[in-house]
């Protein structure tokens, strides 16, 4: 079961959605989940069972910040599980927690590391909540309290990130910098600090996610899919897809990838 919940209006510029992923694993079997490269960060809470990392990352706690990442990782669990998460805009990391996105990119710090003692209390409240709507309320109240402390207004990079996501990564970086009244160099520097990656890498990852969303509807036309996702040729598409997922496109779309249940 995979379900999503919208954030309250106060968080709409920072949280894309809240989500729940539950899956029943047959007794004695293992379940492997593959996390793809993602330009956005997530707050993760394992309220039933937990995953241990197999590759590409560290940490195996019950809760953590899964910061934006430019690589795929694999996680293993034995037994049925339940996970609650908040899918964040990348600029939410400095806005909410006061940490540069560039510093935490490709990392998975535990909540105490980024929130202090309140992170421990938050973890306990989320994990012990009986219902999903309670988890949404608890985390929403906590994040809103952080925003009130910092009182940040929308920045040029926040506006640019929303534009890139809305366009599925198919934007001109120079034109985007000009639209927010910054030179290309200023824009790239500010963007990396606030969003974790250079604008070029971020847009590549977002285009890759446009391709991922074709799962279940891929008709076998790889060249058409590459063009639809903003690639000039198949070779660049195949290169990015393999770098960010660990799969060749046909392996992913024509086979049964790891941890795909939430898309079905």
């Amino acid at each position: 079961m995979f379900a999503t919940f919208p954030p309250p209006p106060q968080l709409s510029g920072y949280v894309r959605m809240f989500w729940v992923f539950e899956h029943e694993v047959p007794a004695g079997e293992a379940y492997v989940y593959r996390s793809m490269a993602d330009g956005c960060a997530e707050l993760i809470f394992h309220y039933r069972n937990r995953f241990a990392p197999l590759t590409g990352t560290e940490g195996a706690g019950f809760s953590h910040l899964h910061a934006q990442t430019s690589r795929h990782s694999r996680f293993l669990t034995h037994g049925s599980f339940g996970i609650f998460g908040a899918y964040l805009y990348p600029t939410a990391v400095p806005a909410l927690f006061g940490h540069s996105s560039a510093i935490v990119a490709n990392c998975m710090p535990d909540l105490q590391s980024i929130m202090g003692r309140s992170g421990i209390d938050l973890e306990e409240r989320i994990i012990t909540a009986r219902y999903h709507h309670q988890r949404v309320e608890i985390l929403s109240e906590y994040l809103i309290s952080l925003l009130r402390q910092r009182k940040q207004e929308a920045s040029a990079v926040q506006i640019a990130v929303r534009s890139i996501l809305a366009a599925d990564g198919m934007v001109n970086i120079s034109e985007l910098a000009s639209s927010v009244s910054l030179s290309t160099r200023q824009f790239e520097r500010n963007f990396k600090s606030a969003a974790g990656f250079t604008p070029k890498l971020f847009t590549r990852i977002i285009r890759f996610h446009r391709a991922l969303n074709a799962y279940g509807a891929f008709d076998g036309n790889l060249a058409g899919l590459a063009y639809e996702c903003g690639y000039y040729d198949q070779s660049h598409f195949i290169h990015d897809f393999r770098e960010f997922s660990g799969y060749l496109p046909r392996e992913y779309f024509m086979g049964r990838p790891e941890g795909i249940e939430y898309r079905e």
Side-chain angles (χ1 to χ4, degrees):
M1 184 273 289
F2 182 77
T4 63
F5 309 87
Q10 305 96 309
L11 293 175
S12 62
Y14 306 90
V15 178
R16 299 184 69 180
M17 64 181 175
F18 297 103
W19 55 267
V20 173
F21 182 24
E22 296 180 342
H23 187 64
E24 297 299 318
V25 179
E29 293 188 14
Y31 182 91
V32 177
Y33 177 76
R34 183 176 299 222
S35 173
M36 308 296 195
D38 197 333
C40 294
E42 294 184 285
L43 285 172
I44 305 289
F45 300 85
H46 296 268
Y47 59 84
R48 181 187 181 194
N49 211 340
R50 60 177 175 174
F51 283 74
L54 289 176
T55 59
T57 188
E58 297 179 356
F62 283 100
S63 61
H64 54 267
L65 172 69
H66 193 158
Q68 47 270 58
T69 177
S70 59
R71 58 190 182 225
H72 67 276
S73 301
R74 300 173 73 233
F75 302 86
L76 171 72
T77 191
H78 292 85
S80 302
F81 60 85
I83 311 171
F84 173 72
Y87 195 35
L88 309 175
Y89 289 102
T91 49
V93 174
L96 292 169
F97 311 120
H99 297 287
S100 165
S101 288
I103 292 176
V104 298
N106 287 315
C107 296
M108 287 177 54
D110 60 56
L111 296 194
Q112 185 176 9
S113 298
I114 60 172
M115 303 174 184
R117 176 66 200 182
S118 67
I120 300 175
D121 297 335
L122 177 66
E123 175 184 86
E124 182 176 355
R125 294 178 65 201
I126 294 290
I127 290 176
T128 58
R130 296 184 62 186
Y131 305 108
H132 299 319
H133 74 267
Q134 291 178 325
R135 295 186 171 98
V136 171
E137 291 174 359
I138 291 168
L139 188 52
S140 293
E141 290 173 0
Y142 180 83
L143 296 179
I144 289 171
S145 71
L146 294 182
L147 286 179
R148 287 173 178 161
Q149 295 172 27
R150 298 185 180 280
K151 298 180 180 179
Q152 294 197 18
E153 297 182 359
S155 67
V157 172
Q158 285 176 304
I159 296 170
V161 165
R162 296 291 288 267
S163 297
I164 292 170
L165 291 171
D168 286 329
M170 292 184 283
V171 298
N172 181 288
I173 300 301
S174 296
E175 292 177 359
L176 188 58
S178 179
S179 72
V180 293
S181 303
L182 292 174
S183 69
T184 301
R185 181 171 295 181
Q186 285 178 310
F187 179 68
E188 290 179 348
R189 182 173 61 250
N190 294 350
F191 193 99
K192 185 172 183 179
S193 176
F197 301 128
T198 64
K200 182 178 180 180
L201 177 56
F202 185 79
T203 55
R204 285 175 58 208
I205 294 171
I206 301 307
R207 286 201 305 271
F208 158 71
H209 272 263
R210 181 183 176 94
L212 284 182
N213 290 334
Y215 182 82
F218 179 58
D219 61 4
N221 183 358
L222 198 61
L225 180 59
Y227 179 78
E228 177 70 20
C229 296
Y231 292 91
Y232 294 109
D233 55 57
Q234 286 189 56
S235 63
H236 283 90
F237 174 58
I238 292 170
H239 174 273
D240 276 12
F241 202 96
R242 188 169 190 174
E243 178 180 348
F244 296 143
S245 73
Y247 290 110
L248 291 171
R250 289 194 183 278
E251 289 178 320
Y252 178 81
F253 291 112
M254 308 304 286
R256 185 169 178 79
E258 294 172 331
I260 202 64
E261 285 76 14
Y262 77 101
R263 288 187 178 272
E264 298 178 332

